[in-house]
Amino acid sequence: MVTLKGTKVVAGIVIGRLFVYMHPDKHVSRATVEDTDAQIRLFNDARQKAIEQLEEIHESSLPYLGELNASIFVAQEMLLEDKQYIDYVCKQITESKYNAAYAIALASDEFSRLFTSIEDKYMQSHVADVRDVSERLLRILCGAEGEMIQPLEPCIFASDDFSAGDIVGFKRENILGLATMFGSQVSHASILAGTMGIPSIIGLGQEMLSIYDGRCAILDGIKGELIIDPDKRTLDRMKRKQKEYDEHQRMLLLLKGKNNITKSGEYINVYANIGSAEGVETALLYDAGGIGLFRSEFIYIESPTYPTEEEQFNIYKEVLEKMRGRKVIIRTLDLGTDKQASYFRPEKENNPALGYRAIRISLAQPGIFKTQLRALYRASVYGNLDIMFPLIISVDEVKQIKEIINEVTSELDSEDIEYSKDIRIGIMIETPAAVMISEQLAAEVDFFSIGTNDLTQYTLAIDRQNPKLESYFSEVHPAVMRMIEITVDNAHKAGIPVDICGEAAADLNLTQAFINMGIDALSVSPNMVLPLRKKIRECD
Ligand code: PEP
Ligand code: MG
């Protein structure tokens, strides 16, 4: 028996035969060419062919992936039309006289390096796009145009890595689970595996060798392990764990449509946190009462340049329409520190977490802020929209925000553009400053949402990004809990509701404490909605 340890991506336990497929050696040889025009023609022909393939995949995957998930392939098509990418490859061919395949491999490395250097884990999904697209081009150039070999009967499918294109090409009924040597939790492939509900683990490392092909295996997507040739005891234990997990999932799904009500009859709203319009589907699947936090900065991060009013309007409208009247709280741009957009490069800061981020950017660059507010207000007629603002530290900031909102609504009025008159304006309580003046702030806004991730970071002076300090980062520190208590009391004294949308909201050990404090709503990642509902129903 061999146990390989990796990283869990999609929960679930599956037992079956292992099917191992390694992509052919991606080593591309370098050659010096004389006829550079011919190499450029080869590159362009391959590009054309790749675009056609992606169009086909997009069309065929639409019915089961939905428009939003299938848009990955549109984004990859766009990359194949991207001037910078094309110019880079052509320059390698014309100036360095490299063969087309080598120039593409160089472009793949260079653009992956560029995205990685942005030091934002969400940019890794773009790295995956660059790699997927370049590999598709190389496969075409090598004449290996076919899709990857895949199991013909239900198996645990293991490989060096999967691309998003590989995953949509699978016959779902033959894929019990996925295991890879490499990969990233936030790659499109991982996101798609989650959407398709395939238990998955990544990062098993070099140990994951082809010699295990055909062997019996257990994929534990809860723990992030792949057990090969399990002994009888392990097999029995894992079968029990699988049964318990499946039972638990079934039981949680029975809670769909039920109230989040404590034993003593108190009702707590449970909302979902999302980072893109795609998240809405999962939020609805798990029966979230609304969206408690839409991190709108991901629209900016995923866009090659500042998203236009129209682009943002379409996304907000889609989210609001899909939520069909359930509450949707959209937070305005919270760029900065670990969340950087490639085109937005503030000067290097010594303390970025204490620097130019969130509302500070919006107030310093009102043009960007107004574009977002116009998009939000215009979209507001399509659902039940509330807007909130990140990292507030003063009443003056709230007043400035209100002034800008007034300018935006006056403009919309003069253009005869409709918007909802019921939008509630809230702020995030993420700094000790906001807690200490929460009484004054409560008089200015319609609701508070406590961001415990930043509130913990700033209260304890512990960088939330620093893995070395992980053991110090504690939302249950009495200082943080007291901050939450003060905020709830001041909100309620002013008659406004208060929710928690930081990670602490999903800590089921804290649910009773939050209920005791009188919290009105908890907003968690979609897959935590039903476990939290279950917990609330067990609380007093
Ligand atoms: C928080 O700080 O708790 C929060 C919800 O915001 P983010 O994690 O996006 O900074
Ligand atoms: Mg925050």
Side-chain angles (χ1 to χ4, degrees):
M1 182 171 95
V2 183
T3 301
L4 304 180
K5 292 195 190 311
T7 306
K8 56 190 178 189
V9 172
V10 183
I13 294 170
V14 284
I15 302 171
R17 205 170 59 79
L18 199 62
F19 180 95
V20 183
Y21 170 85
M22 295 292 167
H23 288 90
D25 187 3
K26 300 206 189 90
H27 180 76
V28 177
S29 357
R30 183 176 74 187
T32 308
V33 294
E34 280 310 314
D35 190 353
T36 54
D37 285 351
Q39 293 300 313
I40 288 181
R41 264 199 309 280
L42 275 176
F43 168 56
N44 281 330
D45 290 350
R47 235 171 22 88
Q48 207 41 53
K49 182 112 203 163
I51 291 171
E52 283 161 21
Q53 287 180 350
L54 286 166
E55 265 167 13
E56 240 179 81
I57 297 177
H58 176 244
E59 282 297 301
S60 59
S61 63
L62 262 178
Y64 63 97
L65 280 186
E67 204 163 313
L68 285 162
N69 287 315
S71 66
I72 291 170
F73 304 107
V74 178
Q76 294 193 354
E77 265 179 72
M78 279 163 67
L79 186 62
L80 283 166
E81 311 264 23
D82 182 77
K83 190 169 173 325
Q84 274 180 307
Y85 182 84
I86 298 173
D87 286 352
Y88 186 89
V89 175
C90 291
K91 199 166 153 218
Q92 298 305 319
I93 297 174
T94 48
E95 291 183 8
S96 306
K97 302 215 176 301
Y98 289 144
N99 49 325
Y102 190 68
I104 291 166
L106 286 179
S108 175
D109 287 349
E110 173 63 12
F111 281 75
S112 305
R113 193 189 55 73
L114 262 178
F115 283 128
T116 312
S117 70
I118 294 165
E119 271 184 19
D120 181 327
K121 66 177 183 165
Y122 291 91
M123 294 312 281
Q124 288 172 13
S125 57
H126 296 295
V127 175
D129 279 338
V130 172
R131 294 235 167 97
D132 280 11
V133 156
S134 306
E135 195 182 315
R136 184 171 292 280
L137 288 173
L138 290 175
R139 276 199 225 171
I140 294 171
L141 277 181
C142 303
E145 287 172 26
E147 297 304 319
M148 73 187 293
I149 296 163
Q150 52 168 308
L152 298 172
E153 55 182 23
C155 282
I156 296 172
F157 196 0
S159 183
D160 43 350
D161 203 357
F162 293 113
S163 70
D166 291 336
I167 290 188
V168 293
F170 293 157
K171 276 211 169 64
R172 176 66 185 93
E173 63 272 25
N174 289 343
I175 309 294
L176 297 173
L178 295 173
T180 64
M181 290 162 74
F182 311 110
S184 139
Q185 271 178 306
V186 289
S187 71
H188 288 321
S190 296
I191 293 166
L192 281 182
T195 311
M196 292 164 76
I198 311 176
S200 308
I201 47 181
I202 56 163
L204 292 167
Q206 305 290 349
E207 305 292 309
M208 232 284 300
L209 301 174
S210 308
I211 47 164
Y212 300 129
D213 186 34
R215 311 266 273 268
C216 172
I218 303 171
L219 183 145
D220 183 347
I222 303 167
K223 208 169 169 195
E225 278 182 0
L226 185 69
I227 306 167
I228 296 150
D229 292 339
D231 54 31
K232 170 123 182 26
R233 254 186 60 206
T234 309
L235 193 61
D236 289 346
R237 181 173 57 82
M238 290 308 288
K239 277 186 180 164
R240 277 198 304 277
K241 189 172 169 186
Q242 181 187 40
K243 202 161 157 234
E244 272 165 30
Y245 178 78
D246 292 348
E247 203 54 52
H248 183 68
Q249 289 303 102
R250 256 194 303 281
M251 196 204 53
L252 283 179
L253 288 175
L254 290 180
L255 286 174
K256 278 177 82 166
K258 298 256 164 69
N259 281 332
N260 313 303
I261 195 157
T262 64
K263 283 200 239 166
S264 38
E266 200 149 339
Y267 188 86
I268 317 288
N269 286 307
V270 176
Y271 300 138
N273 293 346
I274 59 171
S276 67
E278 283 111 275
V280 173
E281 265 121 64
T282 334
L284 287 172
L285 175 72
Y286 292 117
D287 200 24
I291 302 298
L293 167 65
F294 178 177
R295 292 179 160 101
S296 72
E297 54 276 11
F298 289 114
I299 302 173
Y300 292 73
I301 290 170
E302 277 159 19
S303 172
T305 178
Y306 288 106
T308 63
E309 179 182 323
E310 214 50 35
E311 282 163 350
Q312 292 191 60
F313 165 76
N314 286 327
I315 295 171
Y316 303 145
K317 174 171 174 272
E318 183 181 339
V319 172
L320 286 160
E321 280 180 338
K322 283 192 171 158
M323 289 306 290
R324 296 187 177 191
R326 295 190 198 192
K327 181 184 294 301
V328 174
I329 305 177
I330 300 184
R331 173 177 77 185
T332 59
L333 179 65
D334 185 14
L335 279 182
T337 62
D338 60 322
K339 290 182 280 196
Q340 298 289 353
S342 51
Y343 49 89
F344 177 80
R345 291 188 197 282
E347 282 144 36
K348 195 166 166 11
E349 296 174 299
N350 286 336
N351 289 309
L354 305 181
Y356 189 54
R357 63 168 290 202
I359 197 67
R360 298 167 192 176
I361 297 172
S362 298
L363 291 176
Q365 293 178 248
I368 299 172
F369 194 30
K370 277 172 102 174
T371 302
Q372 179 167 35
L373 287 171
R374 274 183 66 97
L376 284 166
Y377 270 77
R378 281 176 53 205
S380 64
V381 291
Y382 296 95
N384 181 1
L385 173 69
D386 290 346
I387 304 176
M388 71 177 171
F389 303 92
L391 211 76
I392 295 296
I393 55 164
S394 71
V395 172
D396 184 53
E397 283 168 340
V398 179
K399 292 202 163 136
Q400 286 182 57
I401 291 168
K402 285 185 179 170
E403 260 172 47
I404 296 176
I405 290 177
N406 281 340
E407 284 171 33
V408 166
T409 50
S410 307
E411 275 170 31
L412 293 175
D413 286 338
S414 65
E415 293 165 43
D416 260 347
I417 295 177
E418 259 193 291
Y419 58 89
S420 163
K421 303 290 183 295
D422 301 321
I423 301 174
R424 295 185 324 147
I425 299 299
I427 54 169
M428 291 198 66
I429 303 291
E430 299 181 283
T431 60
V435 175
M436 298 318 284
I437 57 163
S438 48
E439 197 176 339
Q440 292 89 314
L441 288 168
E444 296 289 331
V445 295
D446 301 317
F447 67 96
F448 283 163
S449 184
I450 305 176
T452 47
N453 309 335
D454 276 318
L455 186 59
T456 306
Q457 150 163 277
Y458 296 125
T459 303
L460 305 182
I462 298 290
D463 178 358
R464 64 190 263 196
Q465 300 282 107
N466 189 336
K468 280 200 209 114
L469 301 176
E470 225 172 78
S471 60
Y472 292 96
F473 191 90
S474 162
E475 289 114 340
V476 294
H477 189 292
V480 180
M481 293 304 271
R482 183 75 191 113
M483 292 270 173
I484 299 173
E485 221 167 22
I486 295 171
T487 307
V488 175
D489 288 348
N490 282 332
H492 288 170
K493 262 194 247 154
I496 63 167
V498 53
D499 61 56
I500 298 179
C501 66
E503 288 309 304
D507 183 342
L508 303 183
N509 294 320
L510 297 178
T511 314
Q512 182 72 64
F514 292 149
I515 291 172
N516 293 348
M517 285 182 198
I519 211 84
D520 297 286
L522 295 165
S523 192
V524 294
S525 64
N527 64 340
M528 281 305 292
V529 167
L530 293 175
L532 182 57
R533 174 169 301 164
K534 180 171 178 288
K535 182 69 195 184
I536 291 172
R537 292 168 70 88
E538 289 161 6
C539 284
D540 276 327

